[in-house]
């Protein structure tokens, strides 16, 4: 029984860095920045509710 592997396992060998298309890198950085912007924006808007200083139904 023999298995055909694309790569041979070598203990302690350096793992090669994967090649990623530049479009994926740019898109992931944009979406990550957008996520943090949204989190901080919502924190600015809702911090009294988060910390119990105000009820969400009080306008």
């Amino acid at each position: 029984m023999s298995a055909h592997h694309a790569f041979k396992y070598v203990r302690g060998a350096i793992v090669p860095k994967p090649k990623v298309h530049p479009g994926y890198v740019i898109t992931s950085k944009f979406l990550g920045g957008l996520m943090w912007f949204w989190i901080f924006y919502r924190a600015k808007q809702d911090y009294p509710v988060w910390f119990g200083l105000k009820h969400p139904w009080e306008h």
Side-chain angles (χ1 to χ4, degrees):
M1 227 159 113
S2 67
H4 299 283
H5 298 286
F7 300 102
K8 183 175 173 148
Y9 175 75
V10 178
R11 185 180 299 202
I14 297 173
V15 179
K17 196 172 179 183
K19 295 178 183 174
V20 181
H21 191 272
Y24 293 139
V25 174
I26 293 169
T27 302
S28 66
K29 288 186 183 285
F30 172 74
L31 290 175
L34 184 64
M35 174 194 70
W36 283 112
F37 172 78
W38 182 253
I39 289 171
F40 289 134
Y41 174 76
R42 292 307 302 173
K44 180 183 169 210
Q45 298 295 316
D46 295 339
Y47 78 90
V49 175
W50 287 1
F51 294 113
L53 304 173
K54 183 176 141 184
H55 296 293
W57 55 84
E58 294 174 353
H59 293 291

